Amino acid sequence: SSTIASGPIVTLTNGTGNPISTKYFVTTTYFGCTTSDSVVVTVNPMPVSNAGADISFCSGGSASIGTPPAIGYTYSWTPIDGLSSNPVADPSITLTNTNNSVQQGDYIVTTTVFNCSTSDTVRVTVNPIPSAFFNPPLGQCSDNNSFSFSGNGIFLPTAVFSWGFGANATPQSASVQNPISVSFSTSGPQSVTFIIAQFGCTSALFTDTVKVYAMPLISYSLNVTSGCQPLNVTFTDNSISAPPSSYLWEFGDGIASTSQNPVYQYLSN
């Protein structure tokens, strides 16, 4: 700050990456008598801290933070939750998010060289993984069947949905939460899949079946077709149908039966 002061202030910078030493001399004169002395001032370089770019990953995932180490630098991170190692320049971080919300945290690296330190911050975002399920609708007959589905689970408003109904369905897929008017061209159990995704995180595949019942093919036989009254007729069911089946016989005279193989007595023509 001054070349003639007894205690000048020296301000120095160092942009080389290595210590720079400068010797300063002082000469003191008193009543014509002169003495000299010197001092060495060493200016250490400031380290460059780099915590890396902000990162995000799904719950249970991992990523690297920081940058490759520089020779002579020491590193210290805070906090240390989820870090693979500390102190290192570029640890990996593994975190779990058990809440149905996005979680964020700042990790700070402090870099030191020649007793000089600087800091930098990286933001870590951990996205939750959604879960998906649905309750299969009640079974329907194959003729004119039309199913509606309701997607359930744990997810955020930004979630996207993916349904798979198979090759026998119209439509074969859907991307809405609650698809309607889904029909199947064949009878039998139909496999349906459901997935939810958000922020690049995908739920486990949920699979269930809906039942499409084949239309029964009605056939029956009689033990007699004519005779004297009273005429006892045994009706035998030969229909092709899947159990459980129900039956309704009408005998032409206002009388009916719900037995599978009824016996009916005709008393008049």
Side-chain angles (χ1 to χ4, degrees):
S1 60
S2 175
T3 59
I4 60 174
S6 62
I9 298 174
V10 178
T11 302
L12 300 171
T13 59
N14 181 356
T16 67
N18 295 299
I20 296 176
S21 296
T22 303
K23 179 178 284 190
Y24 289 84
F25 296 88
V26 59
T27 300
T28 305
T29 302
Y30 184 70
F31 292 109
C33 301
T34 301
T35 60
S36 297
D37 197 9
S38 63
V39 63
V40 176
V41 177
T42 300
V43 181
N44 294 318
M46 295 296 293
V48 177
S49 288
N50 189 349
D54 294 344
I55 59 169
S56 64
F57 52 84
C58 300
S59 175
S62 299
S64 294
I65 56 177
T67 54
I71 297 175
Y73 283 23
T74 60
Y75 303 88
S76 179
W77 290 87
T78 184
I80 62 173
D81 299 340
L83 296 184
S84 60
S85 181
N86 186 44
V88 293
D90 51 353
S92 63
I93 182 170
T94 303
L95 294 172
T96 300
N97 180 357
T98 59
N99 300 316
N100 187 35
S101 61
V102 176
Q103 293 185 342
Q104 292 183 323
D106 290 336
Y107 281 74
I108 301 171
V109 62
T110 299
T111 306
T112 303
V113 65
F114 301 116
N115 295 317
C116 299
S117 298
T118 59
S119 297
D120 192 32
T121 301
V122 60
R123 174 152 293 185
V124 177
T125 300
V126 184
N127 296 311
I129 297 177
S131 64
F133 75 92
F134 66 90
N135 293 316
L138 296 176
Q140 298 181 25
C141 297
S142 59
D143 281 4
N144 301 314
N145 69 84
S146 180
F147 291 89
S148 296
F149 295 85
S150 178
N152 295 298
I154 300 175
F155 51 87
L156 297 174
T158 55
V160 294
F161 308 93
S162 178
W163 294 86
F165 303 114
N168 299 323
T170 302
Q172 295 183 1
S173 62
S175 58
V176 296
Q177 181 180 354
N178 303 312
I180 61 174
S181 302
V182 179
S183 61
F184 297 91
S185 60
T186 59
S187 60
Q190 308 294 324
S191 179
V192 177
T193 61
F194 182 45
I195 295 176
I196 301 176
Q198 60 190 22
F199 300 112
C201 306
T202 303
S203 70
L205 179 69
F206 185 87
T207 303
D208 210 331
T209 58
V210 295
K211 296 178 180 179
V212 180
Y213 303 116
M215 301 299 294
L217 299 176
I218 297 176
S219 176
Y220 65 92
S221 60
L222 317 125
N223 65 329
V224 294
T225 58
S226 64
C228 298
Q229 60 179 358
L231 179 63
N232 292 320
V233 181
T234 299
F235 294 86
T236 301
D237 172 40
N238 300 319
S239 302
I240 300 176
S241 62
S245 299
S246 60
Y247 303 87
L248 177 62
W249 296 84
E250 296 178 342
F251 301 115
D253 55 3
I255 305 300
S257 173
T258 57
S259 298
Q260 181 178 6
N261 300 298
V263 176
Y264 187 66
Q265 186 180 74
Y266 286 92
L267 299 178
S268 62
N269 292 335

